[in-house]
Amino acid sequence: MPAERLQKLLARAGHGSRRSAEVVIAAGRVTVDGTIAILGTRADPDTQRIEVDGEPIRLQPGEVTIALNKPTGIVVTAVDDRGRQTVFDILTDPPPHLRYVGRLDRDTSGLLLLTTDGELAHRLSHPRYEVMKTYEAMVDGIVAEGALEQLRRGVMLEDGMTAPAIVEQLPGTPPPAHFRVVIHEGRNRQVRRMFEAVGHHVSRLRRTEFGPVRLDGLAPGASRQLTPEELAALRALVGRGDPHEV
Ligand code: URA
């Protein structure tokens, strides 16, 4: 394998995003064949010994990216300090260094992406790339057209104005009314808080799409690997080429 930049190799070995790998390198914690590396160092993992804090890095054979249909009641975290079931408890045989891409709150179900590609995870959840997320929300009460317009234009939350959103009522018999909401931000409990801001409680929330990936027929609790087409589309969205191509 030709020599690659260390931060790229570290990210592939599960040491966070490239940016956080740079911090680890700059802190002098990385050695190549026993010599402390600096930013810009390149190395060939096939012929050189790369260590972080004295431990050899372990490159993944290939990156894995998974779509999970998260059921309600499951927490999106690595370890829950209250002992509740996490997404990692319900995945069968998750690969090492799998990390979730953004979060869904405990009461929200639907599409959650998880990936071993630290840089991809970082970019997909970075506001700069404005990746669209689609939700279906069941909302109590009759939501006036004026309130929907406010949601579309942006509402003031305690952490600032929300960006313009697509909000449309789905066919059905209100109340409770059923809405499709598309946002590119990923703030904590954002859809719930947006409706609260216009006086309505969201009683059920499900994410159905994340960028080009759709939940479709995936049963609650089930997961699948992304297809090569989905992965390529996702990578293209955030300018993240195949990490194994040089
Ligand atoms: N909006 C919410 O309210 N909850 C989520 O989990 C995601 C978006």
Side-chain angles (χ1 to χ4, degrees):
M1 178 183 283
E4 285 187 63
R5 278 177 300 141
L6 267 186
Q7 56 266 47
K8 195 167 169 181
L9 292 170
L10 258 53
R12 238 179 84 198
H15 288 275
S17 67
R18 280 195 216 173
R19 202 150 310 136
S20 49
E22 283 172 4
V23 175
V24 175
I25 297 165
R29 293 167 53 196
V30 184
T31 55
V32 177
D33 289 338
T35 304
I36 293 178
I38 54 167
L39 278 178
T41 300
R42 300 173 83 92
D44 178 352
D46 289 340
T47 58
Q48 293 179 289
R49 188 175 174 84
I50 305 164
E51 293 180 346
V52 177
D53 297 332
E55 286 294 318
I57 64 166
R58 263 182 234 107
L59 290 177
Q60 303 296 306
E63 302 296 359
V64 176
T65 302
I66 290 172
L68 167 73
N69 185 352
K70 180 188 109 54
T72 55
I74 303 292
V75 192
V76 181
T77 184
V79 184
D80 185 56
D81 52 9
R82 288 152 67 184
R84 296 170 298 183
Q85 254 201 324
T86 76
V87 285
F88 295 100
D89 294 326
I90 64 167
L91 283 167
T92 20
D93 220 6
H97 306 302
L98 189 68
R99 40 192 287 193
Y100 43 82
V101 178
R103 288 174 189 242
L104 288 176
D105 68 61
R106 184 167 173 257
D107 299 325
T108 296
S109 63
L111 181 58
L112 180 74
L113 297 185
L114 300 105
T115 181
T116 55
D117 181 343
E119 181 64 22
L120 182 65
H122 172 71
R123 291 193 187 194
L124 286 172
S125 38
H126 197 288
R128 166 176 165 202
Y129 294 100
E130 301 194 351
V131 179
M132 294 292 184
K133 275 86 64 178
T134 303
Y135 297 85
E136 285 177 12
M138 201 168 272
V139 177
D140 293 345
I142 296 170
V143 187
E145 189 51 39
L148 292 180
E149 261 316 303
Q150 268 183 279
L151 291 173
R152 289 178 187 128
R153 280 200 299 266
V155 285
M156 183 56 87
L157 303 180
E158 59 193 20
D159 47 2
M161 280 299 275
T162 58
I166 297 171
V167 183
E168 53 193 27
Q169 187 157 358
L170 293 167
T173 38
H178 209 177
F179 293 91
R180 174 174 173 267
V181 181
V182 186
I183 57 174
H184 64 70
E185 295 172 295
R187 303 193 219 167
N188 186 33
R189 299 179 71 88
Q190 180 166 341
V191 175
R192 294 178 188 278
R193 290 192 294 135
M194 284 167 64
F195 278 96
E196 292 294 344
V198 294
H200 291 274
H201 175 71
V202 172
S203 53
R204 255 184 23 214
L205 187 63
R206 184 166 79 118
R207 182 154 71 195
T208 55
E209 293 172 44
F210 191 110
V213 184
R214 301 164 71 105
L215 189 61
D216 282 342
L218 204 58
S223 58
R224 65 172 174 86
Q225 290 223 16
L226 296 199
T227 64
E229 293 75 24
E230 285 173 324
L231 202 49
L234 209 53
R235 289 191 186 287
L237 263 188
V238 296
R240 168 77 169 147
D242 186 328
H244 299 302
E245 281 172 11
V246 197

